[in-house]
Amino acid sequence: MSFARVTGPQATLPPAGLPGLDPALSRLVSVDGLLADAGATRLWHVLDTGDALAERGLEPIGTIVAVHGNPTWSYLWRALVNASLARAEAGAAVWRVVAVDQLEMGFSERSSLRRTLAQRIADLDALVEGLGIRGPIVTIGHDWGGPVSLGWAVEHRDRLAAVIALNTAVHHPEGASLPFALRVATARGMLAAGTTGTTAFLETTLALAELDPAVKAAFRAPYATVARRRGIGGFVADIPATPEHESTPALHRMSAGLRELEVPALLLRGPKDPVFGEDHLDDLTDRLPHADVHRFEGAGHLVAEERPYADVVLDWLDEKVVDAVAPATRSRRSAAAKRAAAVPAPEAAAAPSGHLWDSLDARRDDDGTAVIDMTTETDGAPLRVSWRRLSVRVDELAAGLDAFGVRAGDRVSLLVQPGPTLTAALYACLRIGAVVVVADRGLGIRGLSRAVRGAVPDVVIGEVAGLAAARALGWPGRRISAAALPAVTSRALGVEASLSDLARAGRGRAVPAAPGPDADAAVLFTSGSTGPAKGVVYTHAQLTALRDTLAAHFGVTAETGLVTGFAPFALLGPALGTRSATPDMDVSAPRTLTAAAVAAAVRASDARIVFLSPAAVSNVVATASDLTRDDRAALEKVETFLSTGAPVSVDLLRRAQELMPNAVAHTPYGMTECLLVADVTLPEIEQARGDRGVCVGRPLGTGQVRISALDAEGRAAGEPRTDAGVTGEVVISAPHLKRGYFRLYLTDREARRGLPERWHRTGDVGHLDVDGRLWIEGRLPHVITTADGPVTPVGIEQDVESVPAVERAAAVGVGPVGRQVVVTVVEAGVRRPGLASPDLTERVRAATSQRLAAVLVVPTLPTDIRHNSKIDRSRLARWAERVLAGEKPTAP
């Protein structure tokens, strides 16, 4: 598709028919030039909703000034323009939007002037003055429109209401190379040819997103000739890559001035950006530490074309800016605010005291065992590390990290298997206020890389495999090896020091002051079983509250002893002041744990509590025949057995308890966002039969659980309540609930939608029974919306799994929302996927009261890597729909 060609230098209106663009909003504005352009009058093209609002009798509360980058034009902001008008007409806050075509760009005037960053900031100021915009003003910029809009914002703080930036950069470190794409564009002999002489730069940019051909044609429309593309080349030439560059002083003034901006700020980013990396976002958040940040996973440089950013921006303005610029709106409380007020504040709990490492300090003269490494032997026995040795090592590493340059707030990615080395490194980081980033290999190499790169660590501490991945995949951060490496290996991996080097450097040095309780302590990544892994942020106070809740509920003392085959709890032994052992296994792959390995760890540690994940429990039970008499005798001493991380069947719990006959079997309910929410024992589960779902017990400590009822479309729309028998989303609060998500503003906002502070929407669905126990019925995205109302999957799956031929089952919805039918997919010992046999179909249908549209069979149900127990129902639903539509069945 093509549009009318514009070939002259004059400003003009865009051609008619551009998709998504209302021609009535285009206007040409004559503006007197400033700085090098003084004495000239320039004609700008802008998209402006001002007249449209006036025609509707709507008075704006402020103006959003939107500035595009290179090589786009104001068309980039059409979604914001259109959404702002639609929302204003619907009674929401009224914002005027002015989206500019920068001079030499889009449909604005071309001139012979070379426009530097300082000139473009002045140009924007001239336009704002020419349009008579006084304030309040919100600036939004993308790409090199970011420095231009933020440069104007820094110079006009008295009129500024907020700043917003999409995929941009405001600082270029001296000596650092440009991103590869820009190095190519600015290379000698390539600049003119690639940016002006041909459409290469333009086409390369448009290829960064999957755009409709008509949209691509619209972006090309202003740049049909060499003369009209000179602005593209000029923009690239103006990238201040060196201190001597003409635009470097303006960039430095702007980037330094950002540190003094106190207005609300929103940073939106598409991480798949070859131009602006995570380090650019990290720099921006350092300059605007109060900014709300959201990374749209899977989006790239043209995030405005890939994600619904316009509603995000306008919702954010409603939440963070509208009351400040239009105080009268404060009296109009939204329905969400009213619902939040209806939810009681969390019960007051005693603030956790001390620090996570207090027990290390208290036992620093104790030669008793603190940590046992079952994977390393000394003199034929597992390696034992005393409290004295561990405490000294933590202090040495803490001081050594400080000497290495690690400061409070720096993020340190730990790529080390659980054991004494990881324990010492983790507590050393916490001790100096560094924020530990923990993402395990169970995410897979792509998921792990996405997590680590997204966290932008300042330092990576790893074993050889992790350091090699960091090198190969270009992860940020200085490198520290867990073990001392040969010089040639260190150089190849970019390693600057080993932990031993740091310990030596730290001996005799003072440890820095401890961080405060509200300082960030950790970023723990979720399993990624329900979408891309999310970084969950915990403060020191919240980790300490977790320690206290765990100790109080399970009666942990110095003599208890722990065996932890579940990664999140593998590091809590020293915090609890009791010895701990991790069995000989790959913690990232729970299926590697055997019954004999558990017994060996229990025997070595004389542990009374065993923590395992559901997948680990399954394999422990499966390998029970390998246990010796001594192994069984050791397991008989266990007093408490916990399986946490996902629901566990009653049968599996019973079989596990047979191996630990004197233990009380618990199955706590929790998630990365709140590692302990509720708890239930096997005897309690057996007494609580009758309800649908998996009983996970009552809240721990001062924690609270409520249910937000589902509407007909499966959305959690009801006020969170404690009424029995109401199915809905599980809403929780606890002293050890996370602070938030790392750079996921939208995820944070959804998790607290309609709730006060310190409450969290879990995404799980379930109900409370008459005794206040919580029953989990599935995940919110897996609710099946039938014509008779929403249906949850777990109860159906429990029915179907009662059929002898069925090993596991998943219930999924097929069809449009509100009219879905229920389909079950089962593991039933088949070699090929497809429709179940008539006999099996009949038996499955007879097992449940829920009407089933079809029964399908698969050799294996798809599950997440880390737990090997959370069935991917969304994937199965898509597969089932294809099979029922007549496609040849393949593995889901």
Side-chain angles (χ1 to χ4, degrees):
M1 179 178 291
S2 62
F3 300 96
R5 283 169 59 88
V6 178
T7 59
Q10 72 279 4
T12 184
L13 295 175
L18 301 186
L21 187 63
D22 182 353
L25 301 178
S26 276
R27 59 183 293 202
L28 299 178
V29 183
S30 182
V31 176
D32 292 335
L34 295 175
L35 297 184
D37 222 9
T41 299
R42 300 300 183 192
L43 199 58
W44 294 64
H45 168 253
V46 300
L47 301 178
D48 186 354
T49 64
D51 289 344
L53 293 172
E55 291 170 2
R56 293 161 172 79
L58 299 171
E59 182 68 26
I61 61 174
T63 302
I64 302 172
V65 176
V67 187
H68 67 85
N70 190 26
T72 56
W73 55 286
S74 57
Y75 185 70
L76 181 77
W77 306 112
R78 65 196 181 282
L80 180 60
V81 169
N82 297 336
S84 69
L85 276 177
R87 289 167 68 128
E89 290 175 332
V94 180
W95 291 96
R96 177 186 180 186
V97 178
V98 176
V100 310
D101 281 6
Q102 299 196 61
L103 292 173
E104 326 299 338
M105 301 292 288
F107 290 96
S108 286
E109 179 179 342
R110 268 55 173 175
S111 72
S112 60
L113 185 67
R114 180 175 178 273
R115 297 186 183 275
T116 62
L117 176 59
Q119 181 65 52
R120 290 197 175 278
I121 294 171
D123 291 343
L124 183 61
D125 188 37
L127 177 67
V128 169
E129 292 296 326
L131 289 172
I133 304 172
R134 303 311 308 163
I137 294 175
V138 175
T139 65
I140 180 170
H142 170 254
D143 187 83
W144 290 106
V148 175
S149 62
L150 292 170
W152 185 92
V154 165
E155 295 177 7
H156 299 86
R157 299 175 206 174
D158 57 323
R159 296 153 68 183
L160 195 64
V163 294
I164 305 169
L166 283 64
N167 284 57
T168 192
V170 299
H171 176 69
H172 188 75
E174 290 187 21
S177 61
L178 288 173
F180 177 76
L182 294 181
R183 290 204 305 273
V184 172
T186 56
R188 179 175 298 179
M190 289 293 294
L191 177 58
T195 61
T196 305
T198 71
T199 60
F201 188 83
L202 173 62
E203 295 300 333
T204 298
T205 301
L206 296 180
L208 295 177
E210 293 185 9
L211 302 179
D212 182 273
V215 171
K216 281 190 176 184
F219 275 116
R220 296 184 187 111
Y223 304 117
T225 67
V226 170
R228 291 193 63 82
R229 289 194 293 271
R230 286 185 183 135
I232 296 177
F235 244 128
V236 174
D238 193 48
I239 297 171
T242 66
E244 297 77 24
H245 194 282
E246 188 176 1
S247 285
T248 295
L251 188 71
H252 284 176
R253 282 195 304 274
M254 178 271 298
S255 58
L258 289 181
R259 298 189 185 277
E260 300 174 11
L261 283 188
E262 297 179 352
V263 297
L266 176 64
L267 306 175
L268 302 178
R269 170 168 166 74
K272 293 172 64 177
D273 188 342
V275 183
F276 302 114
E278 296 289 348
D279 53 335
H280 293 117
L281 177 62
D282 208 37
D283 175 71
L284 265 170
T285 59
D286 180 60
R287 296 171 192 279
L288 295 167
H290 63 286
D292 294 309
V293 182
H294 188 80
R295 300 169 71 257
F296 290 98
E297 198 62 57
H301 181 69
L302 293 176
V303 64
E305 296 294 322
E306 299 180 82
R307 295 294 185 270
Y309 83 97
D311 284 331
V312 173
V313 165
L314 295 169
D315 286 345
W316 178 81
L317 290 173
D318 283 347
E319 180 182 346
K320 298 295 181 73
V321 181
V322 167
D323 281 356
V325 301
T329 63
R330 291 176 184 167
S331 61
R332 301 198 304 268
R333 301 181 65 203
S334 68
K338 291 178 181 178
R339 286 197 300 271
V343 181
E347 293 179 12
S353 59
H355 302 94
L356 207 62
W357 57 87
D358 285 344
S359 291
L360 276 174
D361 289 347
R363 302 187 69 171
R364 65 172 53 253
D365 296 324
D366 188 338
D367 290 317
T369 298
V371 179
I372 302 172
D373 184 356
M374 299 301 296
T375 65
T376 304
E377 289 190 352
T378 57
D379 299 326
L383 173 65
R384 293 175 178 268
V385 179
S386 69
W387 290 99
R388 183 194 301 272
R389 183 179 172 190
L390 180 60
S391 179
V392 169
R393 188 69 166 183
V394 168
D395 285 351
E396 290 175 347
L397 287 177
L401 285 166
D402 179 62
F404 189 70
V406 179
R407 298 291 178 261
D410 286 354
R411 291 183 293 278
V412 180
S413 179
L414 299 175
L415 304 175
V416 183
Q417 280 280 81
T421 299
L422 177 58
T423 300
L426 180 138
Y427 282 89
C429 290
L430 295 176
R431 179 66 181 79
I432 64 172
V435 180
V436 296
V437 178
V438 181
D440 72 44
R441 288 183 297 149
L443 292 174
I445 191 64
R446 291 180 62 186
L448 179 61
S449 184
R450 186 165 50 229
V452 174
R453 288 181 64 85
V456 200
D458 299 283
V459 175
V460 175
I461 300 176
E463 294 164 339
V464 170
L467 293 171
R471 185 74 166 186
L473 298 171
W475 296 347
R478 303 170 69 188
R479 310 285 196 263
I480 298 172
S481 62
L485 302 175
V488 65
T489 305
S490 291
R491 285 194 298 272
L493 296 176
V495 170
E496 297 182 45
S498 68
L499 288 178
S500 296
D501 295 332
L502 295 188
R504 283 192 294 272
R507 285 174 195 149
R509 287 177 58 99
V511 177
D518 294 326
D520 289 350
V523 179
L524 310 180
F525 277 86
T526 61
S527 67
S529 60
T530 55
K534 302 180 290 290
V536 178
V537 181
Y538 278 89
T539 66
H540 284 269
Q542 289 152 7
L543 288 181
T544 304
L546 172 64
R547 174 201 67 188
D548 295 346
T549 299
L550 187 65
H553 184 75
F554 294 106
V556 181
T557 68
E559 296 308 314
T560 300
L562 305 176
V563 168
T564 52
F566 185 52
F569 293 103
L571 298 163
L572 279 175
L576 292 163
T578 194
R579 63 191 173 278
S580 60
T582 300
D584 186 2
M585 64 177 295
D586 180 351
V587 176
S588 299
R591 288 168 291 178
T592 61
L593 181 62
T594 64
V598 173
V602 169
R603 187 163 49 246
S605 61
D606 194 25
R608 296 295 181 264
I609 298 180
V610 173
F611 277 84
L612 301 177
S613 71
V617 174
S618 181
N619 202 56
V620 165
V621 169
T623 57
S625 60
D626 296 333
L627 292 172
T628 66
R629 181 177 298 178
D630 287 346
D631 289 339
R632 293 184 180 277
L635 293 175
E636 288 176 0
K637 296 181 180 180
V638 176
E639 298 172 357
T640 304
F641 158 64
L642 300 95
S643 176
T644 185
V648 181
S649 71
V650 173
D651 179 63
L652 186 58
L653 279 177
R654 287 183 182 134
R655 293 168 66 194
Q657 190 168 32
E658 288 174 3
L659 304 179
M660 294 169 273
N662 298 313
V664 177
H666 292 252
T667 176
Y669 163 69
M671 59 217 65
T672 310
E673 293 84 348
C674 189
L675 289 167
L676 290 173
V677 175
D679 181 43
V680 67
T681 65
L682 177 56
E684 289 171 333
I685 294 173
E686 292 174 326
Q687 294 170 9
R689 292 299 183 89
D691 282 52
R692 306 282 280 174
V694 176
C695 181
V696 295
R698 298 178 180 85
L700 276 73
T702 59
Q704 298 181 66
V705 172
R706 281 173 167 71
I707 303 296
S708 175
L710 302 178
D711 65 13
E713 295 186 355
R715 297 172 301 194
E719 290 183 8
R721 305 175 67 91
T722 56
D723 298 355
V726 176
T727 293
E729 183 177 18
V730 179
V731 177
I732 63 172
S733 177
H736 51 281
L737 176 67
K738 49 82 177 166
R739 177 181 68 75
Y741 293 103
F742 185 73
R743 295 182 179 173
L744 291 171
Y745 161 74
L746 295 181
T747 309
D748 263 330
R749 192 178 69 183
E750 177 57 26
R752 65 174 190 274
R753 174 176 50 85
L755 303 174
E757 291 293 322
R758 305 302 302 145
W759 283 86
H760 171 72
R761 292 183 177 274
T762 66
D764 288 333
V765 289
H767 69 274
L768 295 167
D769 66 17
V770 293
D771 294 314
R773 292 173 298 219
L774 175 63
W775 295 71
I776 298 298
E777 301 178 54
R779 292 283 297 169
L780 193 60
H782 303 155
V783 171
I784 304 164
T785 56
T786 72
D788 297 323
V791 173
T792 54
V794 171
I796 302 168
E797 293 163 357
Q798 291 172 322
D799 293 340
V800 173
E801 287 170 356
S802 68
V803 176
V806 174
E807 297 174 23
R808 287 195 299 180
V812 300
V814 172
V817 172
R819 289 182 292 160
Q820 289 183 322
V821 295
V822 181
V823 174
T824 58
V825 186
V826 302
E827 288 180 9
V830 299
R831 298 179 61 184
R832 292 185 178 86
L835 291 170
S837 67
D839 175 63
L840 180 58
T841 298
E842 183 179 348
R843 283 186 288 153
V844 167
R845 283 177 167 156
T848 180
S849 60
Q850 178 63 49
R851 183 178 179 183
L852 302 179
V855 179
L856 304 177
V857 292
V858 292
T860 305
L861 290 169
T863 58
D864 70 292
I865 297 171
R866 184 145 63 165
H867 295 294
N868 193 37
S869 56
K870 296 181 180 178
I871 296 170
D872 192 340
R873 297 189 186 95
S874 297
R875 178 175 164 187
L876 276 175
R878 294 189 296 270
W879 174 81
E881 189 152 14
R882 293 195 302 270
V883 171
L884 295 177
E887 287 190 17
K888 182 179 179 181
T890 58

